[in-house]
Amino acid sequence: TPYSYQPKTALPAGMSDTVNIGTFTIPTGNVKFMAYIDMKGDGQHGNDTIYANRYICGQAVGTSFVIGSSSKADYTFADLDTLFNILTTCGGGSDVTLKFETGTYALAKPIEWNTAFMQGGRLTVTSLAGNRDSVIFQGTAGVVNLNNMRYVTFDRVTLKNGSSRHVINFTGPTEYVTFHNCNILGGTGTGGSNGCLGYNDKGTITTLTRHIHFIGNLIDGGCRNRLQGTATNHLIGIRLDSNVIRNAYDGSFRVDYGDSCSCNFNFVRPRTGTSWPVGLCFSNSTMDSIYGNYVAHDSISRTGFGGNAISFSGTGVSGNKRTLIANNVVLGHNDAAYNSSYSQIMSISGTVDI
């Protein structure tokens, strides 16, 4: 739209003026703005033009989107960044659900979403079919990096790793993230960085990490499932509830430097043929409860010393209350290796106050 502008006085070099061009109706969606100056004696607009791309919000952003390749999908998986940009621009204060169509989604890099745009709402990633076997996120260098991810639920999907990296890796500030009724599938490797869920590749979690919940999942394979904070950066509110944890090489589940954590109603069976099949291990952590777990060490075959079924080291009081340890079933293995000093049904070492 042309607009004629005549300054009241000549503008000195380096000075500016404000031009009010009136009110216009602009369509919603992605809009490209262009403005140029048509000056007397200057027929070249190239060096007198500015451009701006903006997403114009219309009505309220939807709260449920189908992701996939069919004609019924709102976005393809490759276009998720576009959706997130819209949510960032237009606000995501309400809960948002991404329903993935059935299929395998190959990841060139791990999922690492900065979900600050949610602004208090929760982002849920789930399967359109309601079946965790129907949607597979297949990674080659890990599947999910928890880095600036907040208020997110992975529900009824499969996270599968085909490499020596953790399926779920903690690499930055993370809070209020839940994995519910998912398949979390690691490989068969024996290296420390090959786990289903674990600390970052540098060894410890050194950023804010709190209220991470694993509820009703199948956690299968990997070397070790270890969440390790530091003496100055504790993990807060880690919850492990009603999971099946099987086939880990040398650590089914371990928490180091955690506060107000809980581990209840889980079935745990380490991998056969391993030399150090630790079941549940809590080190320098305060636990609310360790209740109703079934730790099966009775049918595993080891190549060397066995490992402790449940181990405590430096475990303390959670707030003003002591840890509830009750109704756990622990099955051991009656042979020379399991009965060595390194293999116990329950091991308590260091200063433990429970």
Side-chain angles (χ1 to χ4, degrees), residues 2-339:
Y3 181 84
S4 178
Y5 166 70
Q6 180 66 42
K8 295 178 181 179
T9 60
L11 291 177
M15 298 299 290
S16 63
D17 195 4
T18 299
V19 179
N20 186 349
I21 61 175
T23 302
F24 297 87
T25 300
I26 300 175
T28 60
N30 289 305
V31 177
K32 182 178 181 179
F33 295 89
M34 180 184 69
Y36 63 88
I37 299 175
D38 191 0
M39 296 184 293
K40 293 181 179 180
D42 184 358
Q44 301 296 324
H45 294 154
N47 60 349
D48 302 316
T49 304
I50 59 173
Y51 299 92
N53 292 306
R54 295 291 185 269
Y55 187 90
I56 307 302
C57 300
Q59 299 178 349
V61 178
T63 58
S64 181
F65 302 91
V66 175
I67 311 300
S69 57
S70 79
S71 60
K72 297 180 180 179
D74 298 302
Y75 293 89
T76 67
F77 183 66
D79 289 335
L80 276 184
D81 284 344
T82 300
L83 173 59
F84 290 160
N85 287 337
I86 294 172
L87 292 172
T88 300
T89 302
C90 302
S94 301
D95 293 342
V96 174
T97 301
L98 306 182
K99 299 179 180 180
F100 281 79
E101 294 180 333
T102 297
T104 298
Y105 296 82
L107 305 176
K109 60 181 180 179
I111 294 171
E112 188 171 353
W113 299 329
N114 184 330
T115 55
F117 61 78
M118 291 306 299
Q119 303 175 11
R122 176 166 286 273
L123 176 68
T124 297
V125 178
T126 189
S127 59
L128 182 62
N131 180 358
R132 66 184 182 183
D133 295 321
S134 66
V135 173
I136 301 172
F137 295 104
Q138 175 73 58
T140 58
V143 181
V144 177
N145 280 350
L146 298 180
N147 182 17
N148 288 307
M149 193 177 289
R150 295 174 170 87
Y151 298 100
V152 177
T153 295
F154 290 88
D155 176 60
R156 290 172 295 177
V157 296
T158 292
L159 311 175
K160 185 177 182 181
N161 199 28
S163 73
S164 60
R165 302 287 291 278
H166 294 301
V167 179
I168 301 170
N169 206 31
F170 292 75
T171 58
T174 301
E175 55 184 344
Y176 300 101
V177 175
T178 297
F179 296 88
H180 174 260
N181 200 18
C182 295
N183 294 322
I184 304 174
L185 308 179
T188 58
T190 59
S193 62
N194 178 359
C196 286
L197 50 105
Y199 52 105
N200 65 27
D201 293 333
K202 295 180 181 179
T204 57
I205 301 171
T206 57
T207 55
L208 174 69
T209 302
R210 61 182 181 178
H211 304 298
I212 313 300
H213 298 166
F214 298 91
I215 304 172
N217 304 288
L218 169 62
I219 303 174
D220 187 275
C223 178
R224 62 178 66 105
N225 301 309
R226 184 176 184 178
L227 305 184
Q228 181 179 356
T230 68
T232 56
N233 188 81
H234 286 203
L235 314 180
I236 302 171
I238 304 298
R239 178 183 174 192
L240 194 74
D241 196 323
S242 305
N243 302 280
V244 173
I245 308 172
R246 66 188 189 191
N247 295 324
Y249 179 71
D250 67 0
S252 295
F253 185 74
R254 174 170 178 162
V255 175
D256 295 83
Y257 294 106
D259 286 339
S260 300
C261 302
S262 63
C263 181
N264 304 320
F265 302 110
N266 301 286
F267 176 87
V268 179
R269 185 185 295 277
R271 187 186 310 177
T272 187
T274 174
S275 61
W276 199 260
V278 179
L280 302 175
C281 182
F282 310 100
S283 176
N284 298 304
S285 299
T286 58
M287 303 293 296
D288 286 336
S289 59
I290 302 168
Y291 186 91
N293 299 287
Y294 191 106
V295 185
H297 271 216
D298 58 322
S299 62
I300 54 177
S301 173
R302 290 161 309 287
T303 58
F305 287 121
N308 301 315
I310 299 181
S311 175
F312 301 92
S313 174
T315 303
V317 176
S318 183
N320 294 319
K321 61 182 180 181
R322 299 183 184 280
T323 303
L324 171 65
I325 304 175
N327 293 351
N328 298 286
V329 176
V330 184
L331 304 180
H333 204 295
N334 188 23
D335 61 20
Y338 201 94
N339 292 328

